[in-house]
Amino acid sequence: MDVSTEVLMDIFKNRGIRSSYTRMRIMGYMAANRNHPTADEIYSRLIEEIPTLSKTTVYNSLNAFVEAGLARVVTIEDNEARYDVDVSDHGHFKCQSCGRIFDFPVDMDCIEPKALEKFRINKRDVYFKGICPGCLDNK
Amino acid sequence: MDVSTEVLMDIFKNRGIRSSYTRMRIMGYMAANRNHPTADEIYSRLIEEIPTLSKTTVYNSLNAFVEAGLARVVTIEDNEARYDVDVSDHGHFKCQSCGRIFDFPVDMDCIEPKALEKFRINKRDVYFKGICPGCLDNK
DNA sequence: TATCTTATTGAAATAATTACAACTTTATTA
DNA sequence: TAATAAAGTTGTAATTATTTCAATAAGATA
Ligand SMILES: [Mn+2]
Ligand SMILES: [Mn+2]
Ligand SMILES: [Zn+2]
Ligand SMILES: [Zn+2]
């Protein structure tokens, strides 16, 4: 059991969810590839190494992560949920040309404290779309 | 043909899409009920008065409106698209208790001009979730 | 180890949205 | 106004993402 496995087990335990081989692989994939993958992308990649993996398990695990506060859902596209291990406040930019999703910092406090004074805010999402610098250069 | 019908026909013509009875009813519903309805909500409401209405037509019309810049999609929930005739920049707050969606003003420029300097931004969405004042009062 | 709880699996169900072909309506032109 | 072309409407079927469910397997507890 290597050190990163041990670290993940601790994280799971601290958040009150069981650690299992599959969950550690899924979380490991997300931590290594911070590309805001879909459940299907995670499944397609991991099925190569875990032939018994079920897509239901991927969904179950991701839902467990989100509930435990270990991941967030990125719904920048209306036909697919993406997942992000970075649960800190930040915005997402999706390039309409290459499809890549970029993180960017957001000053949430500056957005509009006044109109929402009487609201309790639990989640904040900022989604921008357009063309990324790389795609702009390729005309 | 009353005056609002005439106005709608002009709007459609200006945006390069044909006017039809169904489209005017759908757009009329959205203009009157600015509740960010789903396609299904629009369909359920209008089928009472237009018995031949097809849900496909609702989707087709809404997609035409969005392409023509007459409406925007609000994907604050990952399992359903909502539609908004207010295409100006503003944020959306969804109450996790009563489900209502509230508009609020957003200073888009303050969010983060620096990190996205080299990006071309076409769409901006700000989605907050939490509890609305009414639901907070009802403890 | 025995036991209880939770995770995994695969199949089937659900639900939102789109594709398609036949038909109807709207816009254009004569 | 009548003929024609282009686009909108409809119902059904297909697609796709996600959930439900019951059986089985694995993890945690004592
Ligand atoms: Mn992110
Ligand atoms: Mn709105
Ligand atoms: Zn790009
Ligand atoms: Zn509420």
Side-chain angles (χ1 to χ4, degrees):
Chain A
M1 192 157 68
D2 61 24
V3 67
S4 66
T5 304
E6 220 170 320
V7 168
L8 270 184
M9 287 182 71
D10 265 5
I11 290 175
F12 287 157
K13 187 178 286 180
N14 289 341
R15 295 302 181 124
I17 64 174
R18 267 192 193 174
S19 57
S20 73
Y21 176 72
T22 314
R23 283 187 178 169
M24 286 190 286
R25 294 302 304 270
I26 294 172
M27 181 53 81
Y29 176 85
M30 295 181 70
N33 306 30
R34 297 181 159 239
N35 305 325
H36 311 90
T38 63
D40 193 67
E41 283 164 4
I42 296 170
Y43 172 78
S44 300
R45 179 65 182 70
L46 290 183
I47 189 71
E48 296 172 10
E49 297 173 15
I50 316 171
T52 60
L53 182 65
S54 161
K55 198 177 279 190
T56 301
T57 300
V58 176
Y59 278 108
N60 285 344
S61 302
L62 291 171
N63 288 342
F65 295 161
V66 171
E67 265 194 68
L70 293 174
R72 57 146 62 180
V73 185
V74 175
T75 56
I76 197 169
E77 214 60 66
D78 57 348
N79 61 331
E80 60 185 18
R82 293 180 169 274
Y83 295 86
D84 190 352
V85 284
D86 182 353
V87 295
S88 71
D89 268 351
H90 65 281
H92 290 104
F93 178 98
K94 173 156 188 173
C95 175
Q96 295 165 317
S97 175
C98 65
R100 261 187 300 174
I101 293 178
F102 300 79
D103 293 317
F104 64 90
V106 167
D107 179 2
M108 292 293 180
D109 295 326
C110 92
I111 285 184
E112 184 49 61
K114 222 170 288 178
L116 297 177
E117 263 175 356
K118 296 198 159 34
F119 291 68
R120 175 186 302 156
I121 300 171
N122 294 329
K123 289 180 56 180
R124 287 170 238 260
D125 283 303
V126 174
Y127 299 134
F128 284 14
K129 289 186 188 176
I131 310 293
C132 78
C135 289
L136 282 175
D137 284 347
N138 305 342
K139 226 194 291 18
Chain B
M1 193 158 67
D2 61 25
V3 68
S4 66
T5 303
E6 220 170 318
V7 169
L8 270 184
M9 286 184 70
D10 266 5
I11 290 174
F12 287 156
K13 186 178 288 180
N14 288 342
R15 295 301 180 123
I17 65 174
R18 269 193 191 172
S19 57
S20 73
Y21 176 70
T22 314
R23 282 186 177 169
M24 287 190 286
R25 293 303 303 272
I26 294 172
M27 181 54 83
Y29 176 85
M30 294 182 70
N33 306 26
R34 298 181 159 237
N35 304 324
H36 311 90
T38 62
D40 193 67
E41 283 164 4
I42 297 171
Y43 172 79
S44 300
R45 178 65 181 71
L46 290 183
I47 188 70
E48 296 171 11
E49 298 173 15
I50 315 169
T52 61
L53 181 65
S54 162
K55 198 177 280 191
T56 300
T57 301
V58 177
Y59 277 107
N60 286 344
S61 302
L62 291 171
N63 287 341
F65 296 162
V66 172
E67 266 194 68
L70 292 174
R72 57 147 62 180
V73 185
V74 175
T75 55
I76 196 168
E77 214 61 65
D78 57 348
N79 60 331
E80 60 185 17
R82 294 181 169 273
Y83 296 86
D84 191 351
V85 284
D86 182 354
V87 295
S88 71
D89 268 351
H90 64 282
H92 290 104
F93 178 99
K94 172 156 188 174
C95 175
Q96 294 165 317
S97 174
C98 66
R100 262 187 299 176
I101 292 178
F102 300 80
D103 292 318
F104 64 90
V106 167
D107 180 1
M108 292 293 181
D109 295 325
C110 91
I111 285 184
E112 183 50 62
K114 224 169 285 178
L116 297 177
E117 262 174 357
K118 297 197 158 34
F119 291 69
R120 176 186 301 155
I121 300 170
N122 295 330
K123 290 180 54 181
R124 286 169 239 261
D125 282 303
V126 175
Y127 299 135
F128 283 14
K129 288 186 188 175
I131 310 293
C132 78
C135 289
L136 282 175
D137 284 347
N138 305 342
K139 230 196 300 351

